């Protein structure tokens, strides 16, 4: 995390707060995630040099940059084309070239490059979207906030030999995953 300049990913108005441990607005009603939560999610995803990573909710591209630094390749899905384009520009300026950003509904995953060793979801869902669970590799790890509007629980869902194992990581509060597979409307 120390190698990724967070100020690159925030609006110039927020430069002074870039290293505060809190979320900040990034436009389109969305936020760059709190650094503590980014760290917790990344640690839980246990990304290795050869990992193929799917990220849902590119947002500013900050977490994408960290995932790309640790893994082999990151496919990152964002529903707002404007945010996706800005994130692409920032990653290009930092010379990060192992990221594919795709505009669309991330709750449907990205079957073209599946299965993934880690799937990191930065928006809240009522339950794990089936397409994401389906796109987990054996021993793959899905990190996702589950719950409702006011409070969610950050969960780690791991595909073991025959079943899925769930672990609660922390209470949290994310923007909604806007999708027929999650919350049909933004809040
Ligand atoms: N980790 C990001 C924060 C992303 S905020 C960062 O550090 O900047 C969550 C993002 O999820 C928002 O950009 C929002 O537009 C996006 N999002 C919400 N629903 C989505 C969906 N169904 N598919 C893809 N992206 C979605």
């Amino acid at each position: 995390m120390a190698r990724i300049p967070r100020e690159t990913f925030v609006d110039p108005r927020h430069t002074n707060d870039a290293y505060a441990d809190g979320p900040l607005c990034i436009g389109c009603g969305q936020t760059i995630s709190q650094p503590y939560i980014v760290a917790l999610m990344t640690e839980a995803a246990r990304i290795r040099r050869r990992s193929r990573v799917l990220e849902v909710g590119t947002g500013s591209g900050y977490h994408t940059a960290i995932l790309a630094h640790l893994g082999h390749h990151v496919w990152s899905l964002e529903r707002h084309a404007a945010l996706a384009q800005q994130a692409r520009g920032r990653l290009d300026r930092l010379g990060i070239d192992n990221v594919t950003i795709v505009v669309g509904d991330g709750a449907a995953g990205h079957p073209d490059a599946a299965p993934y060793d880690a799937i990191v979801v930065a928006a809240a869902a009522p339950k794990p979207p089936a397409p994401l669970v389906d796109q987990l590799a054996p021993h793959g790890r899905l990190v996702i906030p589950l719950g409702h509007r006011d409070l969610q629980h950050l969960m780690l869902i791991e595909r073991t030999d025959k079943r899925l194992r769930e672990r609660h990581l922390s209470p949290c509060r994310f923007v909604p995953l806007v999708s027929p597979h999650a919350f049909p409307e933004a809040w």
Side-chain angles (χ1 to χ4, degrees):
M1 286 181 80
R3 294 194 192 148
I4 305 297
R6 194 164 182 260
E7 73 270 17
T8 306
F9 295 88
V10 305
D11 188 282
R13 285 179 294 147
H14 298 309
T15 303
N16 288 343
D17 295 324
Y19 292 92
D21 191 19
L24 293 167
C25 295
I26 55 170
C28 300
Q30 308 302 321
T31 52
I32 178 172
S33 306
Q34 178 190 3
Y36 169 75
I37 291 287
V38 170
L40 187 65
M41 294 176 86
T42 307
E43 184 177 55
R46 219 191 274 157
I47 292 161
R48 303 282 181 258
R49 274 260 155 262
R50 298 170 66 102
S51 298
R52 298 161 60 81
V53 182
L54 179 70
E55 179 187 42
V56 177
T58 316
S60 67
Y62 173 64
H63 200 173
T64 323
I66 291 166
L67 299 171
H69 190 76
L70 297 170
H72 174 65
H73 196 94
V74 180
W75 287 264
S76 185
L77 310 176
E78 172 55 54
R79 67 186 276 268
H80 285 292
L83 294 180
Q85 198 183 342
Q86 283 174 17
R88 174 83 271 160
R90 293 175 180 129
L91 296 172
D92 287 348
R93 282 197 295 284
L94 292 175
I96 296 172
D97 60 4
N98 57 337
V99 173
T100 305
I101 297 183
V102 179
V103 176
D105 179 7
H110 185 57
D112 293 5
Y116 302 96
D117 303 301
I119 302 180
V120 175
V121 185
K127 56 185 175 53
L132 297 184
V133 175
D134 290 346
Q135 290 170 37
L136 270 184
H139 302 287
R141 298 158 79 86
L142 168 64
V143 183
I144 183 168
L146 298 179
H148 35 85
R149 179 188 173 119
D150 298 320
L151 179 69
Q152 302 114 31
H153 295 282
L154 190 61
M155 303 297 296
L156 168 65
I157 299 169
E158 191 172 5
R159 184 185 286 287
T160 61
D161 290 333
K162 289 199 186 77
R163 56 193 187 96
L164 296 170
R165 195 168 58 198
E166 283 196 22
R167 188 152 71 86
H168 176 254
L169 301 173
S170 168
C172 60
R173 204 166 175 188
F174 278 79
V175 297
L177 184 65
V178 181
S179 163
H181 296 287
F183 292 108
E185 316 239 337
W187 55 59

